[in-house]
Amino acid sequence: MDRSIPGGDLIGRWSLSFADIDFVNSKPALTRLGLAAQLKFFASLGFFAIDPGSIPTDGLSYLAEQLGVEAGEIAGYDFSSRTARRHCAEILIHLGYHRMKRVSRSMPCLSMFSCGAGTGVFMGRRARSLNVSFAHNGKIIWTPG
């Protein structure tokens, strides 16, 4: 798999906003690069990375530069830990997703939806392990089951 990012996409998709930086910096230092990588990976591709090898090298280096850390620190982030699963749920909330109401859970589950920007998002294996339901812009996007 080619893990390089075209020049324009690097800045457009992997730059941290001030809100993103505040969100990432609210976590312990050892998890910040992993959290930032998951945040931008999900925002860019619509699903969470399952290991550090999934993160494009260019994107990881750019995130590390923005956070003032070494890209090698990603090795200390366990993508399968409870902390990483909690980070995935926190990322969804940070990006504007919210837990579904009880009444919405009775509706058929949608695994593919189209958000306002027209981007399709697939909630894969990682989302199932979160054991929560999410909606975005009033549309059910995922529910455990």
Side-chain angles (χ1 to χ4, degrees):
M1 174 173 96
D2 181 18
R3 296 185 331 160
S4 61
I5 303 170
D9 285 345
L10 181 64
I11 293 171
R13 293 180 184 228
W14 291 83
S15 291
L16 295 168
S17 68
F18 290 120
D20 293 342
I21 291 171
D22 288 343
F23 171 64
V24 169
N25 283 337
S26 72
K27 306 298 177 197
L30 293 174
T31 64
R32 290 179 186 159
L33 183 57
L35 175 64
Q38 284 285 45
L39 171 65
K40 296 320 262 182
F41 189 90
F42 180 83
S44 179
L45 299 174
F47 59 95
F48 292 107
I50 58 172
D51 59 46
S54 304
I55 309 293
T57 309
D58 299 344
L60 186 60
S61 297
Y62 186 54
L63 288 171
E65 181 182 320
Q66 293 174 76
L67 295 172
V69 299
E70 295 295 322
E73 288 187 19
I74 195 71
Y77 187 80
D78 182 359
F79 283 77
S80 61
S81 69
R82 284 187 291 169
T83 298
R85 288 192 302 272
R86 187 180 66 247
H87 284 168
C88 291
E90 291 172 351
I91 286 167
L92 291 171
I93 292 166
H94 174 73
L95 294 175
Y97 297 85
H98 61 276
R99 288 183 180 214
M100 292 172 35
K101 308 273 189 271
R102 179 178 293 276
V103 69
S104 299
R105 292 183 186 174
S106 63
M107 300 173 71
C109 173
L110 302 176
S111 59
M112 184 65 93
F113 80 102
S114 190
C115 68
T119 317
V121 176
F122 176 73
M123 301 299 290
R125 180 173 57 133
R126 176 60 68 108
R128 286 192 292 277
S129 68
L130 296 175
N131 198 25
V132 293
S133 302
F134 289 94
H136 188 263
N137 292 339
K139 295 180 182 178
I140 300 169
I141 60 165
W142 184 82
T143 188

